[in-house]
Amino acid sequence: DADVTQTPRNRITKTGKRIMLECSQTKGHDRMYWYRQDPGLGLRLIYYSFDVKDINKGEISDGYSVSRQAQAKFSLSLESAIPNQTALYFCATSYRDSRNEQFFGPGTRLTVL
Amino acid sequence: AQSVTQLDSHVSVSEGTPVLLRCNYSSSYSPSLFWYVQHPNKGLQLLLKYTSAATLVKGINGFEAEFKKSETSFHLTKPSAHMSDAAEYFCVVSGNARQLTFGSGTQLTVLP
């Protein structure tokens, strides 16, 4: 079984809909992250969490919110989806003291029409 | 502040020839540096990392990278390309132990 899982893997939705992307990990890591990937831009950080009560905005948090329900679960929500949120979304995890080596999930491809 | 510049968006090599993917970084802190690979429709896999130990870092699948502080570079090399190396490669810097900053990626094509 994969250490970092994301659901759904693919989602097509319409403008204005609320969407939740979920991430679960079995690695026992404290830290979890959400990124989006757009062609030619690499990965950009949306939100990150160093533990259940420590959640921080990343580079591009506008239009997104997150919830850290447990150490192993970190969800990303789009309250009202818009077409420019069409992207590939990755969840990642890391140990507290690993000099930030991160382990990535398989990604969720989101299309907003 | 920290940033990463991958100097080539696309690199094409013939199978069996050397690979060089170039990366320059800036960081206000003593950085950690990483190379990740992303195969089509896959997640990201760590190739190698530098965290202030040996400046020549060996990774998986025959890849290696050399940290050069004076040049602020962390170029990725492989002596002989294989068809399975075709993928997108990301250079990544972490200078403050809280966030990673990704480069924009280099697409490697391996020609038969």
Side-chain angles (χ1 to χ4, degrees):
Chain A
D1 288 338
D3 294 320
V4 184
T5 57
Q6 293 182 233
T7 56
R9 293 294 311 279
N10 289 282
R11 181 73 183 268
I12 300 173
T13 191
K14 295 182 178 180
T15 297
K17 295 292 187 181
R18 184 178 188 275
I19 296 297
M20 178 179 287
L21 308 183
E22 298 185 339
C23 177
S24 296
Q25 53 116 346
T26 58
K27 299 185 77 66
H29 290 170
D30 296 310
R31 300 180 175 185
M32 299 186 74
Y33 309 79
W34 275 105
Y35 293 90
R36 64 176 280 175
Q37 182 180 22
D38 299 278
L41 295 179
L43 274 72
R44 293 179 292 167
L45 183 64
I46 305 172
Y47 270 96
Y48 60 103
S49 170
F50 280 5
D51 65 40
V52 175
K53 295 182 180 180
D54 181 4
I55 294 178
N56 305 275
K57 292 183 177 181
E59 178 186 354
I60 54 164
S61 59
D62 288 349
Y64 301 94
S65 62
V66 292
S67 173
R68 185 84 183 266
Q69 301 96 322
Q71 186 196 40
K73 296 184 183 294
F74 192 36
S75 299
L76 176 71
S77 294
L78 287 67
E79 297 301 325
S80 179
I82 57 177
N84 76 2
Q85 291 178 313
T86 293
L88 188 56
Y89 289 84
F90 286 102
C91 175
T93 72
S94 71
Y95 281 120
R96 183 179 308 154
D97 58 354
S98 66
R99 293 302 303 270
N100 271 328
E101 175 183 350
Q102 294 183 11
F103 298 83
F104 286 81
T108 295
R109 187 168 296 281
L110 177 65
T111 302
V112 183
L113 302 176
Chain B
Q2 59 191 30
S3 66
V4 175
T5 302
Q6 291 185 241
L7 298 168
D8 306 290
S9 58
H10 293 86
V11 170
S12 290
V13 300
S14 297
E15 190 175 20
T17 65
V19 176
L20 170 63
L21 305 183
R22 299 182 295 165
C23 172
N24 288 122
Y25 71 91
S26 68
S27 176
S28 302
Y29 301 85
S30 179
S32 295
L33 291 156
F34 309 84
W35 277 98
Y36 283 85
V37 60
Q38 183 180 27
H39 290 276
N41 300 313
K42 300 288 187 182
L44 281 79
Q45 180 185 19
L46 181 68
L47 275 180
L48 50 80
K49 65 178 179 179
Y50 165 78
T51 57
S52 76
T55 56
L56 182 61
V57 181
K58 294 186 183 298
I60 61 172
N61 301 333
F63 285 94
E64 62 182 38
E66 186 172 7
F67 173 70
K68 292 186 176 181
K69 185 176 180 179
S70 61
E71 299 177 10
T72 61
S73 69
F74 191 58
H75 301 335
L76 182 70
T77 61
K78 183 174 181 178
S80 177
H82 191 273
M83 296 297 291
S84 62
D85 295 328
E88 189 157 23
Y89 292 79
F90 294 95
C91 182
V92 183
V93 65
S94 174
N96 64 1
R98 290 184 67 86
Q99 298 184 30
L100 300 184
T101 298
F102 282 73
S104 56
T106 298
Q107 185 67 47
L108 176 64
T109 299
V110 182
L111 304 171

